[in-house]
Amino acid sequence: MAFLDNSGDIILDAVLTEAGRRRMAEGNFKITKFALGDDEIDYSLYNKNHASGSAYYDLEILQTPIFEAFTQVNAGINYGLLPTTATDLLYLPIMKVNELTVITADTRAIASSGSSGMFMVTDSSGDSSAAIRTVLSDNSINSINGNSPQTCVLLETGLNTGQGNVPNGTAANRKSYLAANGLIDSRLVVFYDSRFFNGVKGLAKNSGFSNNGQDNALMSQLILSDGSRASIQSGLDNYAAAMILGIKNQIVQPSSGTDTEADLSVISGPKGIVAAVAPTINPGLDAEYSLYGGETSIGGIDCKFIDTTIFVQGTSTSAQLQIPIRIIKLA
Amino acid sequence: MAVTNYERLDPTNDLTNTRTLLHESIPLTGTIISGTYGTFPDEANIKNYSHGQFQSVYDYPYLSSSANHIFDIAIGFDEGSPLSGSVSSTQESKKINMYNQMSQVLLGYTGSNNTVRKFELDTTLDGSGEMKEALFLNFSRLITKDQIKKGTVSVTLGTGSWAAPFALTKTLTDASASATQGTANTLGGDYGVLYDSGNTARGIVFYQAGLVALSTSSFDTMTDFYSSSAGTSSVGNTLVSSSISASCDSLRHRVQNISFNNTTEINSSIYFCRVPHNKYNHSGNPTYLSSSTIRVKSVNSDQPIAYITTIGLYSADNELLAVAKLSEPLRKDPTNELTLRVRLDY
């Protein structure tokens, strides 16, 4: 009678993060919950066609070398495992930026700037004889007026299964694949650098985003309103959080032709929500341009800029997106 | 980026605190103490100070940044000792001060005159068995850690001639001391008695303070405890007439071996992170999806699978306070329920 193998006992040694050490010194160190992460894992290594059978499907994943613990708070867990209890899900939503020509032409949404992929936010404070927005528009660069945003970066979530693949983008599929499984992000968290922005506008409750079920004509009403400040830790220094609304994305496959809704939506499949991100610049940004940014020339005119990133995360699905932002101002 | 999916830890059922004592064996061979890094008595790992009150022993030439301080050697005697008051004494006040400093810190004051206690070669502190002359070995915190483990101290001294000190040896141990008996508790913590093989008390050891006080009685019968160009001298004459550093040199010359176990006290909180079978089988990792389809599934009836590599411990306001990593990815699917024990040491 052989002994049982008891080597599977899992005891892990934890290391304190910077925040943990600080709290220890302050005397308010108290752990109340835990989360699980898998940041090192590349799930594309899961080989469902391994010739040796199912026991070998995850062989490469299980051999993934794991990093030692980081002590920086932001490097702890970036994505995390999801507490979803359903076991029959085959699809999960993703989040994408909608920069389609029709959308940027007909709505408040803007596209990123050329090959840089960055979204321009203009700082017009101090503009006098020349205006930064004129400089940018002369060069066909879309931008958000960061002093009083009326335009935005438009986001969509949904199952991007691809044109011609099931499930396609019908209203019924939205209901059965997304709504029925709690995969609709009616609220999203936006993390922004509070050194440069003092808030973020999102879509108001009475906004709409839909198409005509017959001829696929866009019917949108994107109304911006202030997002609410949220006390959610981003783990990033200087970052603050705001909560914005996710509006029902009612772009559906029209009867006029399969997948023609791709003219309006970047989600090829059932669509979840649409949301807008329009950051508002901190008034009086000045020294920050030399501290954190640089100088460039647009159309022969000298400008100052700061590059930063806005992070957006769905509260229900944990779908995430990073939006690269360039704040730009006349030099 | 912020994690938004947490599992609560119940402070009653998911947390336990433990205290663990770790012990390391510390062997200090006489060759390090004398002779390895130069010629006696001017070895490069021995540091003498201009104040002349004690001598420091390092494990490497002390001018090197790689050197670690191991222990200090000092000598002293009580002003009531027969050695006190000699006309040929050298640094007498410093030797008396050293004895008093050691005794006032480790034993304190007593009696109607509030006089400093004297070391005793027993655990009764009743005034009998007084040790009025002592050779002190002050071990560094680096090697004693929280305290010396009781019952593990061994000091082997050479009692042969000056030319061949280890032709005869005397090993002193505190074998009668243990965690539960054989020690006395004083201001300076617990101390035990060092006995030779004939069960004669030859010194005492303070466990928390990391200090050994040796009686000169181990060397009483010798006429050449110390030898120099001026001639040989007994241990008593050495303590009286020689400088403190020369007395320390003579003791180093006769230390063959010192060993003990140190103790490190580790307080741990163990968090039982219970991962239910029906949760955390999906991931927010961007590679988890291909065209919004879960990569590890072919049809929706396949089991979802995720792989855990990290556990983050959070405060109530979602601040990451500690991180634990697995050595390899741990598969999580609906058929298994995991309890991950995460230990945080203080």
Side-chain angles (χ1 to χ4, degrees), chain A residues 9 33 38 40 89 160, chain B residues 283 292 297 309 318 325 341:
Chain A
D9 195 14
K33 52 194 173 185
D38 63 350
E40 292 98 336
L89 296 177
N160 193 34
Chain B
S283 173
S292 288
K297 298 178 82 167
T309 66
N318 306 337
K325 302 289 287 193
R341 287 193 282 164

Side-chain angles (χ1 to χ4, degrees), chain A residues 73-92:
Chain A
V73 171
N74 60 312
I77 299 175
N78 285 311
Y79 304 106
L81 269 56
L82 307 178
T84 314
T85 54
T87 58
D88 58 351
L89 296 177
L90 184 58
Y91 307 101
L92 287 172

Side-chain angles (χ1 to χ4, degrees), chain B residues 7-87:
Chain B
E7 200 68 18
R8 293 226 151 266
L9 286 165
D10 177 356
T12 308
N13 299 315
D14 297 338
L15 171 62
T16 186
N17 296 304
T18 63
R19 177 175 162 269
T20 309
L21 298 179
L22 292 183
H23 302 293
E24 296 170 299
S25 175
I26 306 294
L28 301 173
T29 61
T31 51
I32 287 184
I33 299 166
S34 172
T36 295
Y37 295 108
T39 306
F40 179 85
D42 299 318
E43 294 95 333
N45 66 320
I46 306 300
K47 187 175 185 180
N48 287 295
Y49 301 87
S50 56
H51 55 64
Q53 296 183 95
F54 60 89
Q55 186 176 75
S56 295
V57 179
Y58 290 76
D59 64 352
Y60 197 67
Y62 65 84
L63 290 177
S64 165
S65 59
S66 303
N68 294 301
H69 179 210
I70 306 177
F71 65 93
D72 295 320
I73 307 172
I75 64 160
F77 48 78
D78 179 62
E79 55 192 343
S81 160
L83 304 185
S84 176
S86 169
V87 290

Side-chain angles (χ1 to χ4, degrees), chain A residues 9 12 14-15 17 22-23 32-35 37-38 40-41 48 58 67 78 82 87 89-90 160 311, chain B residues 1 7 9 282-285 287 292 294 297 307 309-310 312 314 317-321 323 325 341 343:
Chain A
D9 195 14
L12 306 168
V15 297
T17 63
R22 173 174 45 78
R23 288 209 177 208
T32 62
K33 52 194 173 185
F34 71 92
D38 63 350
E40 292 98 336
I41 302 296
K48 288 181 286 193
D58 61 0
F67 292 117
N78 285 311
L82 307 178
T87 58
L89 296 177
L90 184 58
N160 193 34
F311 299 87
Chain B
M1 192 41 51
E7 200 68 18
L9 286 165
H282 298 85
S283 173
N285 185 318
T287 65
S292 288
I294 297 173
K297 298 178 82 167
Y307 297 87
T309 66
T310 310
Y314 291 83
D317 58 351
N318 306 337
E319 197 160 29
L320 180 62
L321 302 183
V323 181
K325 302 289 287 193
R341 287 193 282 164
R343 184 173 57 203

